Amino acid sequence: MKNLDAVIIGAGFAGLYAIYQLRQLGLQIRAFEKGDDVGGVWYWNRYPGARCDVESMQYSFAFSNELQQSWRWKERFTPQPEILSYAQHVANRFKLREHIQFNTSVISAHFNESTSRWDITTSDQGQYSAQFFLMATGCLSSARIPDFEGLNTYKGKTFHTGQWPKMPVDFSGQCVGVIGTGSSGIQIIPIIAEQAQTLHVFQRTANFSIPARNQPMDDDYERQWKDNYPSLRERAKTETTSGTLYTRSTRKATEMDAVERQQEYKRRWQTGGVNFMYSFKDLMTDIKSNETAEDFVRAQIRSIVKNQEVANLLAPTDHPLGSKRICIDTNYFQTYNKSNVTLVDVKLNLIQSFTSTGLQTSHAHYKLDAMVFATGYDAMTGSFLDIDIRGRHGNTLKNAWKEGPKAYLGLMVADFPNLFTITGPGSPSILAQMIFAIGQHVDWISQCIADLQKNKFTTIEAKSDAQEQWATHVNEVAHQTLFVQANSWYLGANIPNKPRVFVPYAGGVVPYRQKCEKVAANDYEGFKRI
Ligand code: NA7
């Protein structure tokens, strides 16, 4: 058994920054990464069209001014290969690779009550004992293909967007099917449509999507950011709900007359990106306001898509705009004007089973050479529960979370001492810009560990009552928004039998950070240190 101070799982942005920070504390650390390189979600999601929905100048680390000044983003919204290069650059520049063991998964982590340390086993039969155990496993890492009947009999090629092969995939001349019209589906569909002979999109829920209006990076815009990075990063920290600076309106949608409102939506639709969601301050809290934005987007879809039957299927009517993660796209709706693309509504035309040659629905059989699953993830908890984690008294994390995940501040779980959940359930995580959320969490965790060492404590763990109160608060805050009105992965609705709990903290990054800082300043109120 090898002794370490800290074990980190994952070498995505969370793992990389955790290595960087914990190393500064002088800890002996090792990170285990399943893939053969850094990048996490951006390592696995190498499907054509994969692109970040946060603007490049903001989706990056803030901890090193030299890094943010020297790195040059080529486009307004960065494509996956460039984000992966950035992660590789960070790993190389700060010499983080020497702490990472690639091609290795953590199989189990058991808290050993006699040593107050974590006993960790890895896929290469490694045995480690570590004082601290950090989960940097990401919120969207546990890719999921639904249990379709007959899938094992299907002879065509299958792909999941979140586990895309490294070798380029060429769909030229093929009949391709895509299941899933979330962000990944919406990004990959226009690209496959360019190559494939025929493309059938199997849609269960139509999604709202705003044009990205991606473009090469504007030099002046880049300069403006680089000249003001410190103050802009500070504003992101203190003035935003998600850690990303948008042009936020201070007005309510229903306060304005219809003409003015339309102009605002039009202006933002033309500019592109998630900024559309900030057209009015109450879009995520007032259904009447939200409906005005929904109507606008549906009208755009109907004006883009020529066949009105198809347009009606593509226009979402069953959830508020933004209650499922808003998508941003490049030519998504336009793709349905192509003669080789067919939309199949699987709410009416039910998927029955895969056959050896394709997909059988209640209305027809579709012969398919390849099937792309853009069917999403067991989000936010899947990557934790895929590992055999046991805390005090041998209690499994699976058992502790059987009625839904609970973590005090989204950082620690009662009865799992010294286990830190970076961007865990109950923190803003996926509702925030992820690199921003990771930065705040890792800074807090490293300060917490430094304080433990300074005060000669061995362990820290969440108290159950503090954890309960926080979970209640997370739930109450979510119910003040429209997020709870959709069957989304935020609520675990895409996974059969997953407890229906709104997992991320919807109260915004500013009150969240203030709470974390206050807790630390008050001698880690709600935590027990021994
Ligand atoms: P999402 O957003 O979870 O989308 C998954 C899609 O797959 C969605 O349209 C689902 O429909 C559909 N789906 C899932 N299971 C089925 C079955 N059984 N039958 C038909 N359709 C199904 O995952 P993404 O990868 O697109 O995006 C995840 C996040 O990654 C994204 O928000 C960004 O943050 C990056 P449903 O809506 O459940 O009816």
Side-chain angles (χ1 to χ4, degrees), residues 404-420:
K406 285 180 186 167
Y408 181 37
L409 301 176
L411 277 161
M412 294 199 92
V413 184
D415 278 340
F416 293 79
N418 289 1
L419 162 60
F420 294 96

Side-chain angles (χ1 to χ4, degrees), residues 41-42 45 47 51 53 140 144-148 160-162 179-187 202-207 318-319 324-327 346-347 351 373-379 430 434 487-490 493-495:
V41 75
W42 295 109
N45 275 263
Y47 63 86
R51 190 180 291 283
D53 58 9
L140 295 161
R144 186 177 169 273
I145 295 180
D147 298 326
F148 291 114
H160 189 288
T161 47
I179 299 183
T181 49
S183 299
S184 306
I186 281 175
Q187 289 186 333
F202 298 92
Q203 171 186 277
R204 184 163 70 183
T205 308
N207 247 320
D318 64 356
H319 61 278
K324 275 176 179 265
R325 190 177 171 99
I326 193 77
C327 303
V346 301
K347 268 189 175 150
I351 295 178
F373 295 99
T375 43
Y377 300 85
D378 184 354
I430 202 74
M434 283 310 288
N487 286 321
S488 70
W489 53 259
Y490 295 138
N494 60 327
I495 304 292

Side-chain angles (χ1 to χ4, degrees), residues 99-120:
H99 303 285
I100 307 170
Q101 184 173 322
F102 292 103
N103 300 307
T104 312
S105 303
V106 168
I107 304 296
S108 67
H110 297 170
F111 185 70
N112 182 331
E113 297 202 54
S114 59
T115 59
S116 289
R117 294 168 67 86
W118 285 90
D119 293 342
I120 291 164

